[in-house]
């Protein structure tokens, strides 16, 4: 099968491409900058063709393919990211009419309670669902990878002695190892798709509060972290503080923190009936991400940032 991957050099995309190749597929990798080191690393692999594509310039001419993956987001590009994400999704949907199936990695959370960047993720899902193909969405909580924005915030907080925590810090979540997210994505080409749009929920084996996740992250790094909700600390105040105390951009911290009140837990594990592999234990996933050696990594030789980031929370 020939597969188009939009966002091929991002956090998840650059790990998915080798998995698709291993499964016997050919990959047309889309990136805004084919000269970037991560793009070059993909282009060196047999079975991969590289294509320049900036979805904000309008609907592109996609290479001929059977299926596609949409792994694009612009959370780290500053204010107005939600509008840019929707424009990009509409461009892709308009150009992908020749594909039989598109697989999208979205955000996990209950309808009607979405906030922060999760609201944007669901809006993108809605826009992609307008395309003339079958859409299969995998909804995930935080993806544990060294270059995931959500994990970078976790790791930054774990370096503090204490975290200025809002009450929502106890909200439950179900993080997933990037290797497991990739296995689900690769398998999504064969998942049942009923109607024009089908959504599956994916997660790791552990469900815990964000406060416990912060403590486990610190423990995996050999540190101790004090986390307890502080009366009077709201989401905005916490976001401002973490934007100053960590090396994660305030433009990224804000949308992530505003999504804290939304439970990010799998409530329908139908996907496990079709893809019942053994998932990575939480502490192993955290250590892999902390070591920067998450399974399937294709790090750029110079550690340069992704030209087209992709992923979940």
């Amino acid at each position: 099968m020939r597969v188009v991957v939009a966002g091929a050099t991002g956090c998840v995309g650059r790990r998915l491409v080798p998995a698709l190749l291993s499964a016997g597929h050919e990959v047309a990798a889309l990136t805004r900058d084919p000269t970037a080191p991560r793009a070059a690393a993909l282009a060196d692999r047999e079975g991969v063709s590289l294509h320049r594509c900036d979805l904000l310039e309008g609907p592109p001419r996609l290479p001929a393919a059977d299926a596609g993956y949409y792994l694009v987001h612009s959370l780290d590009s500053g204010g107005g990211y939600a509008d840019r994400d929707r424009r990009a999704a509409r461009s892709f949907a308009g150009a992908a009419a020749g594909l039989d199936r598109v697989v999208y990695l979205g955000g996990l959370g209950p309808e009607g309670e979405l906030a922060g960047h999760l609201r944007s993720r669901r809006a993108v899902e809605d826009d992609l669902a307008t395309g003339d193909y079958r859409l299969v969405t995998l909804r995930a909580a935080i993806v544990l990878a060294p270059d995931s924005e959500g994990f970078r915030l976790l790791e930054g907080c774990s370096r503090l002695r204490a975290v200025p925590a809002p009450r929502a810090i106890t909200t439950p979540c179900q993080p997933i190892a990037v290797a497991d997210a990739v296995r689900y994505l690769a398998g999504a080409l064969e998942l049942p798709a009923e109607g024009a749009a089908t959504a599956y929920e994916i997660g790791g084996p552990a469900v815990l509060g964000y406060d416990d996740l912060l403590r486990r992250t610190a423990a995996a790094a050999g540190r101790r972290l004090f986390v307890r909700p502080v009366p009077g600390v709201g989401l905005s105040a916490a976001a401002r503080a973490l934007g100053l105390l960590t090396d994660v951009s305030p433009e990224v911290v804000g949308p992530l923190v505003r999504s804290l009140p939304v439970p990010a837990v799998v409530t329908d594990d139908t996907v496990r009936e079709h893809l019942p592999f053994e998932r990575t234990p939480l502490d192993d996933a955290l250590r892999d991400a902390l070591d920067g050696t998450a399974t399937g990594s294709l790090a750029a030789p110079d550690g340069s940032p992704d030209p087209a980031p992709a992923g979940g929370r």
Side-chain angles (χ1 to χ4, degrees), residues 3-219:
V3 182
V4 170
V5 179
T9 57
C11 169
V12 175
R14 67 193 183 93
R15 295 172 169 89
L16 175 63
V17 169
L20 293 173
L21 295 175
S22 295
H25 303 299
E26 295 181 8
V27 176
L30 308 185
T31 178
R32 291 187 310 202
D33 184 4
T35 66
R38 284 184 176 174
L42 290 178
D44 287 341
R45 303 182 73 99
E46 184 177 355
V48 176
S49 59
L50 209 59
H51 304 265
R52 183 191 176 277
C53 177
D54 189 336
L55 292 169
L56 294 180
E57 295 177 351
R61 184 181 180 87
L62 296 182
D66 304 296
Y69 285 87
Y70 190 82
L71 303 172
V72 176
H73 71 64
S74 56
L75 180 60
D76 67 348
S77 62
Y81 76 92
D83 177 66
R84 287 191 294 276
D85 278 351
R86 296 200 67 175
R87 285 168 51 204
R90 291 166 185 158
S91 289
F92 185 84
L99 302 180
D100 176 67
R101 170 180 302 215
V102 169
V103 180
Y104 169 58
L105 181 61
L108 183 60
E111 203 72 47
E113 298 182 32
L114 300 176
H117 83 110
L118 291 178
R119 183 176 295 166
S120 172
R121 294 284 80 205
R122 196 63 53 87
V124 167
E125 182 180 328
D126 292 340
D127 287 332
L128 290 174
T130 65
D132 187 17
Y133 46 72
R134 291 180 293 172
L135 177 67
V136 176
T137 299
L138 301 185
R139 296 173 179 166
I142 182 172
V143 175
L144 301 176
D147 46 349
S148 155
E149 296 292 353
F151 180 78
R152 287 185 60 235
L153 181 57
L154 272 181
E155 196 275 337
C157 290
S158 76
R159 293 180 177 275
L160 306 174
R161 291 188 177 183
V163 171
R167 183 170 55 186
I169 198 69
T170 60
T171 302
C173 65
Q174 193 167 349
I176 184 170
V178 67
D180 292 352
V182 166
R183 290 188 70 176
Y184 280 124
L185 284 164
L189 293 175
E190 306 299 331
L191 285 175
E194 300 177 1
T198 304
Y200 293 92
E201 299 178 346
I202 62 174
V207 176
L208 69 172
Y210 283 105
D211 53 342
D212 287 333
L213 180 57
L214 284 167
R215 295 186 191 98
R216 294 276 284 272
T217 303

